[in-house]
Short mmCIF file of all heavy atoms in Angstrom, two decimals:
data_model
loop_
_atom_site.label_atom_id
_atom_site.label_comp_id
_atom_site.label_asym_id
_atom_site.label_seq_id
_atom_site.Cartn_x
_atom_site.Cartn_y
_atom_site.Cartn_z
N LEU A 1 6.61 0.02 -5.48
CA LEU A 1 5.91 0.36 -4.24
C LEU A 1 4.72 -0.57 -3.98
O LEU A 1 4.44 -0.93 -2.83
CB LEU A 1 5.45 1.82 -4.28
CG LEU A 1 6.55 2.86 -4.12
CD1 LEU A 1 5.98 4.26 -4.32
CD2 LEU A 1 7.20 2.75 -2.76
N GLN A 2 4.02 -0.99 -5.04
CA GLN A 2 2.92 -1.92 -4.85
C GLN A 2 3.42 -3.29 -4.43
O GLN A 2 2.78 -3.96 -3.61
CB GLN A 2 2.08 -2.01 -6.12
CG GLN A 2 1.22 -0.78 -6.32
CD GLN A 2 0.36 -0.90 -7.56
OE1 GLN A 2 0.58 -1.72 -8.43
NE2 GLN A 2 -0.63 -0.01 -7.64
N ILE A 3 4.53 -3.72 -4.98
CA ILE A 3 5.12 -4.99 -4.54
C ILE A 3 5.52 -4.89 -3.08
O ILE A 3 5.29 -5.82 -2.30
CB ILE A 3 6.32 -5.37 -5.45
CG1 ILE A 3 5.83 -5.74 -6.84
CG2 ILE A 3 7.13 -6.51 -4.84
CD1 ILE A 3 6.92 -5.92 -7.87
N GLY A 4 6.09 -3.73 -2.70
CA GLY A 4 6.43 -3.52 -1.29
C GLY A 4 5.22 -3.54 -0.39
O GLY A 4 5.26 -4.09 0.72
N SER A 5 4.11 -2.97 -0.85
CA SER A 5 2.89 -2.99 -0.03
C SER A 5 2.34 -4.40 0.11
O SER A 5 1.84 -4.77 1.18
CB SER A 5 1.84 -2.05 -0.61
OG SER A 5 1.29 -2.57 -1.80
N VAL A 6 2.47 -5.21 -0.94
CA VAL A 6 2.02 -6.61 -0.85
C VAL A 6 2.91 -7.38 0.11
O VAL A 6 2.43 -8.22 0.90
CB VAL A 6 2.01 -7.26 -2.26
CG1 VAL A 6 1.80 -8.76 -2.17
CG2 VAL A 6 0.93 -6.63 -3.12
N LEU A 7 4.21 -7.11 0.11
CA LEU A 7 5.12 -7.76 1.05
C LEU A 7 4.80 -7.35 2.48
O LEU A 7 4.88 -8.18 3.40
CB LEU A 7 6.58 -7.44 0.71
CG LEU A 7 7.11 -8.03 -0.60
CD1 LEU A 7 8.52 -7.52 -0.88
CD2 LEU A 7 7.07 -9.54 -0.56
N LEU A 8 4.44 -6.08 2.68
CA LEU A 8 4.04 -5.63 4.02
C LEU A 8 2.76 -6.30 4.49
O LEU A 8 2.58 -6.54 5.69
CB LEU A 8 3.87 -4.11 4.05
CG LEU A 8 5.14 -3.27 4.07
CD1 LEU A 8 4.79 -1.79 3.99
CD2 LEU A 8 5.96 -3.54 5.32
N LEU A 9 1.87 -6.58 3.55
CA LEU A 9 0.62 -7.25 3.92
C LEU A 9 0.90 -8.63 4.51
O LEU A 9 0.18 -9.10 5.41
CB LEU A 9 -0.30 -7.40 2.70
CG LEU A 9 -1.02 -6.16 2.21
CD1 LEU A 9 -1.73 -6.45 0.89
CD2 LEU A 9 -2.01 -5.67 3.23
N GLY A 10 1.93 -9.30 4.03
CA GLY A 10 2.25 -10.64 4.51
C GLY A 10 3.02 -10.67 5.82
O GLY A 10 3.11 -11.72 6.46
N MET A 11 3.58 -9.56 6.23
CA MET A 11 4.35 -9.51 7.47
C MET A 11 3.42 -9.30 8.66
O MET A 11 2.46 -8.55 8.59
CB MET A 11 5.38 -8.39 7.43
CG MET A 11 6.41 -8.53 6.34
SD MET A 11 7.42 -7.06 6.23
CE MET A 11 8.95 -7.73 6.81
N SER A 12 3.72 -9.97 9.74
CA SER A 12 2.88 -9.82 10.93
C SER A 12 3.09 -8.43 11.54
O SER A 12 4.21 -7.96 11.68
CB SER A 12 3.21 -10.91 11.95
OG SER A 12 4.55 -10.78 12.38
N GLY A 13 2.00 -7.78 11.85
CA GLY A 13 2.04 -6.46 12.45
C GLY A 13 2.10 -5.32 11.45
O GLY A 13 2.02 -4.15 11.84
N PHE A 14 2.26 -5.60 10.16
CA PHE A 14 2.37 -4.55 9.15
C PHE A 14 1.24 -4.62 8.12
O PHE A 14 1.33 -4.01 7.06
CB PHE A 14 3.71 -4.63 8.42
CG PHE A 14 4.88 -4.24 9.27
CD1 PHE A 14 5.70 -5.21 9.82
CD2 PHE A 14 5.14 -2.91 9.52
CE1 PHE A 14 6.77 -4.85 10.61
CE2 PHE A 14 6.22 -2.54 10.30
CZ PHE A 14 7.03 -3.52 10.85
N PHE A 15 0.20 -5.37 8.45
CA PHE A 15 -0.91 -5.52 7.51
C PHE A 15 -1.54 -4.17 7.18
O PHE A 15 -1.75 -3.84 6.02
CB PHE A 15 -1.97 -6.48 8.07
CG PHE A 15 -3.14 -6.65 7.15
CD1 PHE A 15 -3.06 -7.51 6.06
CD2 PHE A 15 -4.31 -5.95 7.36
CE1 PHE A 15 -4.13 -7.67 5.21
CE2 PHE A 15 -5.38 -6.09 6.50
CZ PHE A 15 -5.30 -6.96 5.42
N LEU A 16 -1.83 -3.37 8.22
CA LEU A 16 -2.46 -2.07 8.01
C LEU A 16 -1.54 -1.13 7.23
O LEU A 16 -2.00 -0.40 6.35
CB LEU A 16 -2.86 -1.44 9.35
CG LEU A 16 -3.61 -0.12 9.27
CD1 LEU A 16 -4.92 -0.30 8.51
CD2 LEU A 16 -3.86 0.44 10.65
N ALA A 17 -0.25 -1.15 7.52
CA ALA A 17 0.70 -0.30 6.80
C ALA A 17 0.74 -0.68 5.32
O ALA A 17 0.76 0.19 4.44
CB ALA A 17 2.08 -0.42 7.42
N GLY A 18 0.75 -1.96 5.01
CA GLY A 18 0.76 -2.42 3.62
C GLY A 18 -0.52 -2.04 2.91
O GLY A 18 -0.50 -1.62 1.74
N LEU A 19 -1.65 -2.17 3.58
CA LEU A 19 -2.94 -1.82 3.01
C LEU A 19 -3.02 -0.32 2.71
O LEU A 19 -3.44 0.08 1.62
CB LEU A 19 -4.06 -2.24 3.96
CG LEU A 19 -5.48 -2.11 3.44
CD1 LEU A 19 -5.71 -3.10 2.31
CD2 LEU A 19 -6.47 -2.34 4.56
N LEU A 20 -2.59 0.50 3.68
CA LEU A 20 -2.62 1.95 3.48
C LEU A 20 -1.64 2.40 2.40
O LEU A 20 -1.95 3.31 1.62
CB LEU A 20 -2.33 2.66 4.80
CG LEU A 20 -3.42 2.57 5.86
CD1 LEU A 20 -2.97 3.23 7.14
CD2 LEU A 20 -4.71 3.17 5.36
N LEU A 21 -0.46 1.79 2.33
CA LEU A 21 0.51 2.14 1.29
C LEU A 21 -0.05 1.83 -0.10
O LEU A 21 0.02 2.67 -1.00
CB LEU A 21 1.83 1.41 1.51
CG LEU A 21 2.91 1.66 0.46
CD1 LEU A 21 3.31 3.13 0.44
CD2 LEU A 21 4.10 0.77 0.69
N GLY A 22 -0.61 0.65 -0.27
CA GLY A 22 -1.19 0.29 -1.57
C GLY A 22 -2.34 1.19 -1.96
O GLY A 22 -2.44 1.65 -3.11
N PHE A 23 -3.21 1.51 -0.98
CA PHE A 23 -4.34 2.39 -1.25
C PHE A 23 -3.86 3.80 -1.59
O PHE A 23 -4.37 4.44 -2.51
CB PHE A 23 -5.28 2.41 -0.03
CG PHE A 23 -6.49 3.26 -0.23
CD1 PHE A 23 -7.51 2.87 -1.09
CD2 PHE A 23 -6.63 4.47 0.44
CE1 PHE A 23 -8.62 3.65 -1.28
CE2 PHE A 23 -7.74 5.26 0.27
CZ PHE A 23 -8.74 4.85 -0.60
N ALA A 24 -2.86 4.29 -0.87
CA ALA A 24 -2.34 5.64 -1.10
C ALA A 24 -1.72 5.76 -2.49
O ALA A 24 -1.89 6.78 -3.17
CB ALA A 24 -1.31 6.00 -0.03
N ILE A 25 -1.02 4.72 -2.94
CA ILE A 25 -0.42 4.74 -4.28
C ILE A 25 -1.51 4.86 -5.33
O ILE A 25 -1.42 5.68 -6.25
CB ILE A 25 0.43 3.48 -4.50
CG1 ILE A 25 1.65 3.49 -3.59
CG2 ILE A 25 0.86 3.36 -5.96
CD1 ILE A 25 2.34 2.15 -3.51
N HIS A 26 -2.54 4.05 -5.20
CA HIS A 26 -3.62 4.07 -6.19
C HIS A 26 -4.35 5.41 -6.21
O HIS A 26 -4.64 5.95 -7.29
CB HIS A 26 -4.60 2.92 -5.91
CG HIS A 26 -4.10 1.60 -6.35
ND1 HIS A 26 -4.37 1.09 -7.59
CD2 HIS A 26 -3.32 0.68 -5.74
CE1 HIS A 26 -3.81 -0.10 -7.72
NE2 HIS A 26 -3.15 -0.36 -6.60
N VAL A 27 -4.64 5.95 -5.04
CA VAL A 27 -5.37 7.22 -4.98
C VAL A 27 -4.51 8.36 -5.52
O VAL A 27 -5.00 9.22 -6.26
CB VAL A 27 -5.85 7.51 -3.53
CG1 VAL A 27 -6.36 8.93 -3.40
CG2 VAL A 27 -6.91 6.52 -3.13
N LEU A 28 -3.22 8.37 -5.17
CA LEU A 28 -2.33 9.43 -5.66
C LEU A 28 -2.23 9.41 -7.18
O LEU A 28 -2.31 10.46 -7.84
CB LEU A 28 -0.94 9.28 -5.04
CG LEU A 28 0.09 10.32 -5.45
CD1 LEU A 28 -0.33 11.69 -4.94
CD2 LEU A 28 1.46 9.94 -4.96
N ILE A 29 -2.11 8.23 -7.76
CA ILE A 29 -2.01 8.14 -9.22
C ILE A 29 -3.34 8.50 -9.87
O ILE A 29 -3.38 9.15 -10.92
CB ILE A 29 -1.53 6.74 -9.63
CG1 ILE A 29 -0.08 6.56 -9.17
CG2 ILE A 29 -1.64 6.53 -11.14
CD1 ILE A 29 0.46 5.16 -9.32
N ALA A 30 -4.45 8.13 -9.25
CA ALA A 30 -5.76 8.47 -9.80
C ALA A 30 -6.00 9.98 -9.78
O ALA A 30 -6.60 10.53 -10.71
CB ALA A 30 -6.86 7.77 -9.02
N LEU A 31 -5.49 10.66 -8.77
CA LEU A 31 -5.70 12.11 -8.66
C LEU A 31 -4.71 12.91 -9.49
O LEU A 31 -5.07 13.93 -10.09
CB LEU A 31 -5.61 12.55 -7.20
CG LEU A 31 -6.76 12.13 -6.30
CD1 LEU A 31 -6.44 12.45 -4.85
CD2 LEU A 31 -8.05 12.79 -6.72
N GLU A 32 -3.46 12.50 -9.55
CA GLU A 32 -2.41 13.29 -10.18
C GLU A 32 -1.85 12.69 -11.47
O GLU A 32 -0.97 13.27 -12.09
CB GLU A 32 -1.27 13.52 -9.20
CG GLU A 32 -1.64 14.41 -8.04
CD GLU A 32 -2.03 15.81 -8.47
OE1 GLU A 32 -1.43 16.34 -9.43
OE2 GLU A 32 -2.94 16.37 -7.85
#
């Protein structure tokens, strides 16, 4: 999922989606 979020960061128009996906993964793992 983190590799997918990095790939989304490089795509035009999906920067915010990639950033939010990567952040959500980290926060979810930190909490649970």
Side-chain angles (χ1 to χ4, degrees):
L1 287 174
Q2 286 182 344
I3 290 171
S5 72
V6 170
L7 292 175
L8 284 176
L9 285 172
M11 299 172 111
S12 62
F14 290 102
F15 179 80
L16 184 60
L19 188 67
L20 290 176
L21 178 62
F23 182 71
I25 293 166
H26 283 268
V27 169
L28 181 66
I29 292 171
L31 289 172
E32 292 298 324

